[in-house]
Amino acid sequence: MIGNGNVALDVARMLSKHADDLLVSEIPDNVYRALKESPVTDVHVFGRRGPAQVKFTPLELRELSHSKDVDIILYAEDFEFDAESDRQIQSNNQTKTMVGTLTNWIAEQPEDLSELTASRRLHLHFLHSPVEIYGDNTGEAGDPGRVAGIKFERTELDGTGNARGTGEFVDYPVQAVYRAIGYFGSSLPEVEFDHSKGVVPNDGGRVLDASGTHVPGIYATGWIKRGPVGLIGHTKGDALETVTYLLEDRDNLPLAAAPAPETIVELLENRGVQYTSWEGWLALDAHERSLGEKASADAGAEGIQRERIKVVPREDMVEISRGGVAAEV
Ligand SMILES: NC(=O)c1ccc[n+]([C@@H]2O[C@H](COP(=O)([O-])OP(=O)(O)OC[C@H]3O[C@@H](n4cnc5c(N)ncnc54)[C@H](OP(=O)(O)O)[C@@H]3O)[C@@H](O)[C@H]2O)c1
């Protein structure tokens, strides 16, 4: 796993956890089955800077240690703190908490790693910058085949909060590489785009044209509105702000220009869009919960109790939400 943000931690946690420990969540059955087959024993997460420069957040980091039968492994040589790191630790409570968690973990770790007993390991590496991914050369006609290894350049902190290469290279034999190095928005035709920030220019979600005037009827929310940052709570608050402006703008339209709510449904039907309604969503929710109840009853009181079984194919979700026959899951 390349990257030291929350996406990297989420993916690393999912890859290293035992599938049965995910059944208490709403994991879809197809995902559960794939993870159940997983032969994974070791997951490595690589950050290119030091422990004080990670982008993840304290709660998500601590969550890693809650996985059953998974040992977290850290490496003393990755724990470099320069004067700038000390300043970051002192000036930011989140950084202080995370560095505290990581240093506690490494202090508690046995010196002889063979004393660790879990069947899976999650390794957190710092000061590693990716250079090259190797294939096993089993592919045909120049295809490098399956992933067989990855090369990193060791880095060191440069005193500004960044890291520079040391000229020392290390190879790790790995069978898969996942990238979690952040996102950059994509532009849409006929809508202004800020190419340096990767966002659609907007004022609280009201999309602006090149002169900074709101383009009627166009709104933005989420990462295209403010960039790829923030936890789920921020994203919800952000959507609330945009929708509040949208409703305010609708209320301020002259009566003749204000579309009636039914026109949205008409538009979707005319375009053949498979939409659902709030009542439809409630019907799907009830259906998924009833499948969960049935699975729990089948498993018996001692078995794993499932709150719901998710319906995965989109067409089945639409059909059930529209009162159709429950599809086989
Ligand atoms: N639980 C949650 O609520 C949750 C879950 C997932 C995501 N999120 C949020 O979603 C947003 C995006 O998360 P994210 O993890 O995708 O991005 P992120 O927080 O921006 O982290 C990206 C990571 O990738 C590294 N990186 C970037 N380019 C690289 C390169 N060329 N080589 C090696 N490493 C590189 C960065 O290192 P540098 O710092 O050195 O650039 C950083 O460690 C964040 O605000 C995050 O908190 C929240």
Side-chain angles (χ1 to χ4, degrees):
M1 178 66 50
I2 301 173
N4 260 182
N6 278 332
V7 171
L9 288 198
D10 278 353
V11 179
R13 199 174 66 247
M14 285 302 116
L15 290 175
S16 55
K17 251 180 169 348
H18 291 276
D20 285 345
D21 293 331
L22 290 165
L23 285 175
V24 289
S25 73
E26 296 186 348
I27 184 171
D29 264 16
N30 57 332
V31 179
Y32 167 73
R33 281 197 299 270
L35 290 178
K36 183 81 182 158
E37 298 288 303
S38 165
V40 160
T41 57
D42 291 80
V43 175
H44 295 260
V45 181
F46 295 96
R48 62 179 171 180
R49 296 191 285 157
Q53 286 81 35
V54 295
K55 292 268 186 69
F56 39 73
T57 40
L59 206 66
E60 282 63 27
L61 177 62
R62 274 202 302 272
E63 189 65 32
L64 285 187
S65 63
H66 298 157
S67 298
K68 271 193 262 165
D69 191 31
V70 180
D71 281 324
I72 295 176
I73 300 184
L74 296 147
Y75 296 87
E77 64 270 26
D78 294 349
F79 279 67
E80 184 190 335
F81 299 99
D82 59 359
E84 174 58 16
S85 300
D86 291 339
R87 194 198 61 73
Q88 289 173 315
I89 294 166
Q90 292 316 323
S91 63
N92 185 318
N93 275 338
Q94 286 211 354
T95 308
K96 189 187 271 179
T97 309
M98 287 187 293
V99 169
T101 302
L102 292 166
T103 43
N104 283 345
W105 284 351
I106 195 165
E108 289 162 7
Q109 190 171 293
E111 233 166 80
D112 180 359
L113 293 181
S114 67
E115 287 172 27
L116 295 172
T117 52
S119 66
R120 289 184 173 180
R121 287 155 296 278
L122 177 50
H123 308 251
L124 299 180
H125 305 267
F126 305 101
L127 302 169
H128 281 72
S129 185
V131 177
E132 188 181 349
I133 297 170
Y134 304 115
D136 64 4
N137 296 323
T138 54
E140 282 168 21
D143 178 331
R146 294 182 66 88
V147 170
I150 183 163
K151 183 195 282 296
F152 288 92
E153 181 173 10
R154 293 306 315 255
T155 60
E156 60 187 7
L157 298 174
D158 70 357
T160 69
N162 287 320
R164 60 179 166 230
T166 60
E168 181 196 344
F169 295 88
V170 276
D171 282 351
Y172 290 82
V174 296
Q175 293 76 45
V177 175
Y178 295 79
R179 187 181 75 130
I181 59 168
Y183 296 84
F184 196 80
S186 320
S187 61
L188 288 165
E190 296 173 45
V191 178
E192 243 354 85
F193 192 67
D194 181 331
H195 288 274
S196 64
K197 297 192 182 124
V199 298
V200 169
N202 68 89
D203 181 9
R206 290 178 170 122
V207 169
L208 306 175
D209 65 15
S211 69
T213 310
H214 178 213
V215 187
I218 304 193
Y219 298 83
T221 190
W223 287 0
I224 203 66
K225 171 179 173 183
R226 67 196 154 86
V229 286
L231 304 179
I232 288 167
H234 299 119
T235 306
K236 281 160 98 176
D238 194 33
L240 194 64
E241 180 188 56
T242 298
V243 172
T244 304
Y245 285 136
L246 186 153
L247 294 176
E248 194 179 296
D249 291 349
R250 185 199 59 175
D251 290 345
N252 288 336
L253 283 175
L255 208 54
E262 310 80 74
T263 52
I264 293 184
V265 171
E266 274 166 30
L267 181 77
L268 294 174
E269 296 213 325
N270 286 341
R271 289 186 179 175
V273 174
Q274 293 283 294
Y275 68 93
T276 190
S277 61
W278 173 238
E279 287 72 25
W281 184 86
L282 291 175
L284 177 62
D285 182 52
H287 175 77
E288 289 184 345
R289 285 178 189 279
S290 73
L291 292 178
E293 259 172 47
K294 186 173 173 300
S296 302
D298 290 349
E302 300 295 307
I304 293 166
Q305 301 299 297
R306 307 288 315 270
E307 187 167 330
R308 73 170 69 231
I309 305 277
K310 287 196 76 72
V311 175
V312 178
R314 186 177 191 277
E315 49 285 12
D316 291 359
M317 287 196 272
V318 172
E319 195 180 333
I320 293 162
S321 76
R322 293 177 154 205
V325 195
E328 282 295 314
V329 183

